[in-house]
Amino acid sequence: MDKIKVIVAGPRGKMGSEALRMIEKEESLDLVACLDHKYDGKNISEFNELPALDALIYTDIEKCLSEVNADVLIDLTTPEFGYLHTKTALQHGVRPVVGTTGFTDVQIEELSQLAEEKQLGVIIAPNFAIGAVLMMQFAKWAAKYYPDVEIIEKHHDQKLDAPSGTAVKTAALIKEVRESKQQGHPNEKETLKGSRGADYDGMRVHSMRLPGLVAHQEVIFGGEGEILTIKHDSMHRKSFMSGVKLAVDQVMKLDVLVYGLENILE
């Protein structure tokens, strides 16, 4: 079986470096290049803290995709660059697997149309941890019976977006089955602005940012005389790599954009 040729965008980041370690261990994957905002022309093997893989770094995605024969682009950067990288990869016939959150609905629709036009698969996942995906699905199931719900997500203090893509995705899944309602006392007042969190269709979403955290979420349902909590914790970024590998394998079989890892779980 031919190896899947992979480019990693953001190789020196915490998620990107874990992706390199995953690729190093997987016999079915071959790292052919990396995209970074600096160190153009250097080899990944020159960085002591990274796996000793033989792949050049490019700072120009157009040049990279023109010179390198690749099947999949794994993007673990930021929403701004993730959108640009995804669009450019599709234009060059490369399938994107994107772990960057923060895409707008307009961007998702544009990329979806481009994927269909090019007949190429795209997977955009707010969370690659399979446990987190199951947590979201369990929450959707529970929301059929418990419409009063709040979401608390906790991440490291270097995360750019709030709430997290996982929290937004969870709220969207719950909205599909939950009758819209405004929670809390009808006359409640915030004595400190923002203390009740963001309002998503009447649900409340809270974000915590602290050093020492990685990625954590609780979905708390309230009922008469009971509380149901569905919780997931990622203690290390290794927890995301099984989902990244699954997405790389599955994107090769797709010709449309898929948003959310749950849509490729069997």
Side-chain angles (χ1 to χ4, degrees):
M1 182 183 296
D2 292 337
K3 290 187 175 186
I4 299 173
K5 296 181 286 295
V6 178
I7 298 171
V8 172
R12 295 181 300 110
K14 292 178 180 178
M15 280 286 286
S17 60
E18 283 300 328
L20 295 185
R21 294 183 187 99
M22 181 271 293
I23 293 169
E24 184 181 35
K25 295 176 183 177
E26 293 291 339
E27 294 184 359
S28 63
L29 304 181
D30 183 24
L31 183 72
V32 293
C34 289
L35 278 170
D36 203 336
H37 67 278
K38 59 181 181 179
Y39 298 117
D40 187 57
K42 291 196 72 172
N43 197 295
I44 283 294
S45 61
E46 297 179 51
F47 294 84
N48 293 331
E49 69 276 16
L50 298 177
L53 295 168
D54 182 20
L56 289 180
I57 294 174
Y58 288 81
T59 55
D60 184 332
I61 187 171
E62 290 282 358
K63 182 180 180 183
C64 178
L65 294 173
S66 297
E67 295 183 358
V68 176
N69 180 22
D71 300 308
V72 174
L73 169 69
I74 299 175
D75 187 275
L76 302 166
T77 59
T78 64
E80 178 186 358
F81 288 105
Y83 168 71
L84 172 64
H85 292 166
T86 302
K87 185 174 181 180
T88 308
L90 285 171
Q91 292 168 339
H92 283 262
V94 176
R95 290 171 160 83
V97 168
V98 187
T100 304
T101 60
F103 287 107
T104 67
D105 291 341
V106 172
Q107 289 174 330
I108 294 291
E109 180 59 29
E110 181 184 352
L111 294 172
S112 182
Q113 290 178 4
L114 184 57
E116 290 188 31
E117 176 188 323
K118 298 290 186 178
Q119 295 186 311
L120 291 170
V122 181
I123 295 175
I124 299 175
N127 198 316
F128 277 116
I130 292 175
V133 175
L134 293 173
M135 174 264 298
M136 288 188 273
Q137 293 302 305
F138 296 157
K140 180 180 179 180
W141 186 26
K144 295 179 182 179
Y145 308 98
Y146 296 93
D148 290 281
V149 54
E150 301 209 6
I151 299 170
I152 304 173
E153 58 92 353
K154 312 169 190 176
H155 283 79
H156 55 89
D157 59 348
Q158 298 304 303
K159 185 171 178 59
L160 295 175
D161 56 323
S164 67
T166 299
V168 173
K169 177 69 173 178
T170 304
L173 289 171
I174 289 173
K175 183 180 178 182
E176 291 177 13
V177 299
R178 171 185 176 272
E179 184 176 343
S180 180
K181 64 173 293 187
Q182 197 68 37
Q183 295 177 186
H185 195 285
N187 297 320
E188 73 177 10
K189 296 180 181 179
E190 291 182 330
T191 55
L192 187 61
K193 187 176 180 181
S195 58
R196 287 290 288 121
D199 187 324
Y200 188 106
D201 197 45
M203 293 175 269
R204 293 293 180 167
V205 182
H206 310 267
S207 296
M208 183 185 296
R209 298 289 178 266
L210 288 171
L213 294 171
V214 177
H216 317 261
Q217 181 168 294
E218 297 178 48
V219 187
I220 304 173
F221 297 90
E224 291 293 331
E226 63 177 336
I227 293 291
L228 171 65
T229 300
I230 301 172
K231 181 181 178 182
H232 178 263
D233 296 285
S234 282
M235 307 300 189
H236 194 282
R237 288 168 181 81
K238 290 179 181 178
S239 64
F240 304 117
M241 292 305 114
S242 58
V244 173
K245 175 60 167 60
L246 174 66
V248 170
D249 290 338
Q250 293 299 313
V251 79
M252 296 297 295
K253 306 172 186 177
L254 298 173
D255 57 7
V256 295
L257 184 148
V258 171
Y259 185 76
L261 201 65
E262 71 277 5
N263 294 305
I264 62 171
L265 290 178
E266 297 180 354

